[in-house]
Structures are given as structure tokens and as C-alpha cells.
Amino acid sequence: GDSVTQMEGPVTLSEEAFLTINCTYTATGYPSLFWYVQYPGEGLQLLLKATKADDKGSNKGFEATYRKETTSFHLEKGSVQVSDSAVYFCALPPFGTDKLIFGTGTRLQVFP
Amino acid sequence: DAGVIQSPRHEVTEMGQEVTLRCKPISGHNSLFWYRQTMMRGLELLIYFNNNVPIDDSGMPEDRFSAKMPNASFSTLKIQPSEPRDSAVYFCASRIILAAAEQFFGPGTRLTVL
């Protein structure tokens, strides 16, 4: 069945460092792909999405490119801030459904 | 704009008691999801509704859990009787039924069963 695999966390970085959080997927067809972020004590919120192969989603300095060749959707940011500390989830809708399946989440900790 | 509203935000109860969690989706959204989040199991989809009709309840843990959506602006998740292992944060989310439409999450209800 469809699935999402994320790198284990926590990822610990200093402010202004480069960030990569890996996400790979298994899916029927070419679903839309999503990154959600969860700040402490809050619900998840959409960070960015891509709806077809080679699309790049971007928001708040974060980017992710839909790579069907490698079935990946890695999240990147060139210079992280302390305020980016959160848990990041990769997600996709299984074929023919309206729900999302989420990865296990990757915790990012950014220190000054 | 009001987002997804959940109540209560925190609930502490004793084992065996009935617990009811409430959700008001964003106006105009016609799909609603209930999730549970724990450290051990992560984020789990319990059930979702389209146009007030339950579509997939395969994530509901057992018969102690039930969910209803009597109209487009209200849903409940009930646990009866509650057990300590039900302690978790419960999220409600809503969306428009449209390809690639995002889910909007509520702030969650933190449930503690003693």
C-alpha cells in the first residue's frame, strides 16, 4: 500500500545552518505531496505542497521538489532560525481516498 | 477567519468515565477528520467523514470509541468507558473535498485519563 518514510530525528542545528529532512514515498500513481509543520502545543499546519512531478513547493524559505524518479520529496531550507524548531511531517493521499497518510515526523531543534 | 474549533482544550477524567470531544469545522468544508497523537504511536487517523457520512473508520481502536457528525458544522468523538491508554492529544481537521486541498487542523484536545 501507499506509504511515507521520513528520516529519524531529532535534527539538531545551529541558527543559519542548512536544513534537509528526507522524505520518500511509495504510491499508486502520482499523488500530491505535502509537508506539514507542528509547532509546540499546536495542531499541524500546511507548510507547502506539490501537485505533480517536478513541481517545487515553497513557503517561508522552505522548499521541496517532487521527484518521481527517486520517489522523494525532501524538505530544504538554506538558513534555519530558532523559530523553525518544530516537528515536520511528510504526507500524501492514498490513491482514491480523501485522507492523508503521514510520516512519523521529524523533530527539528535549532539553537542560537 | 475562524479556524477549526475544538472543545475542551484540556480534559482530565477518571478511568471508566465517558468523555466527549467536540469539533466545529471551518464553514464550507465538507470533509472532517479525527486524529489521535501520542509519543508512542505518533499521529493516527481514527475516522473521517465526507458530507457528514463516515467514510473510513478503520482507525477507531475499539467499540469504546464512537464518532458522529449530525450536521455540517459539528462533530463529536466519544469514548465510553475511558481508559488510561486513551490519554493523548486528539485533533480534528477539515477540508474541502477537492484534489490537493489541504487539511486544516484544530488546536487539539489534550485528554488525560487517570
Side-chain angles (χ1 to χ4, degrees), chain B residues 30-85:
Chain B
N30 48 9
S31 187
L32 183 140
F33 303 80
W34 282 102
Y35 293 89
R36 178 172 69 176
Q37 187 176 42
T38 62
M39 290 294 293
M40 292 297 296
R41 301 175 66 92
L43 188 66
E44 304 172 276
L45 176 66
L46 301 177
I47 185 171
Y48 80 96
F49 298 81
N50 281 351
N51 296 311
N52 313 336
V53 176
I55 302 300
D56 183 351
D57 65 354
S58 59
M60 296 288 263
E62 48 198 273
D63 291 346
R64 298 185 298 107
F65 285 69
S66 62
K68 293 183 179 180
M69 192 163 187
N71 57 62
S73 58
F74 184 65
S75 177
T76 59
L77 178 69
K78 185 175 295 186
I79 308 172
Q80 166 63 18
S82 58
E83 297 182 3
R85 60 193 169 119

Side-chain angles (χ1 to χ4, degrees), chain B residues 11-25:
Chain B
E11 177 81 26
V12 180
T13 191
E14 293 188 347
M15 182 174 62
Q17 295 299 306
E18 178 180 293
V19 175
T20 299
L21 310 182
R22 297 172 176 79
C23 176
K24 177 178 171 56

Side-chain angles (χ1 to χ4, degrees), chain A residues 32-34 36 38 41-47 49-51 87 89 93 96-104 107, chain B residues 9 31 33 35 37 39 42-43 45 48 50 56 58 91 95 97-108:
Chain A
S32 298
L33 300 175
F34 300 82
Y36 280 78
Q38 185 178 27
E42 298 183 10
L44 281 70
Q45 57 185 271
L46 180 69
L47 180 60
K49 68 181 181 183
T51 57
V87 181
F89 294 87
T97 76
D98 297 302
K99 65 183 181 183
L100 288 174
I101 54 173
F102 288 87
T104 52
R107 181 176 299 278
Chain B
R9 292 295 310 276
S31 187
F33 303 80
Y35 293 89
Q37 187 176 42
M39 290 294 293
L43 188 66
L45 176 66
Y48 80 96
N50 281 351
D56 183 351
S58 59
F91 290 104
R95 71 185 282 263
I97 301 174
L98 191 66
E102 68 178 281
Q103 291 184 21
F104 291 81
F105 281 73

Side-chain angles (χ1 to χ4, degrees), chain A residues 5-38:
Chain A
T5 301
Q6 285 184 239
M7 63 188 287
E8 292 281 335
V11 173
T12 303
L13 295 173
S14 297
E15 207 165 24
E16 299 183 2
F18 184 85
L19 168 70
T20 300
I21 299 178
N22 291 337
C23 171
T24 57
Y25 65 89
T26 302
T28 303
Y30 302 103
S32 298
L33 300 175
F34 300 82
W35 276 102
Y36 280 78
V37 59
Q38 185 178 27

Side-chain angles (χ1 to χ4, degrees), chain A residues 44-86:
Chain A
L44 281 70
Q45 57 185 271
L46 180 69
L47 180 60
L48 55 83
K49 68 181 181 183
T51 57
K52 61 183 187 297
D54 299 325
D55 263 4
K56 177 184 286 187
S58 62
N59 186 27
K60 299 181 181 180
F62 290 88
E63 294 182 339
T65 301
Y66 192 156
R67 305 278 190 202
K68 68 176 182 179
E69 302 84 4
T70 54
T71 61
S72 65
F73 192 53
H74 304 322
L75 182 68
E76 297 182 335
K77 187 175 186 183
S79 176
V80 293
Q81 305 299 312
V82 172
S83 58
D84 294 326
S85 298

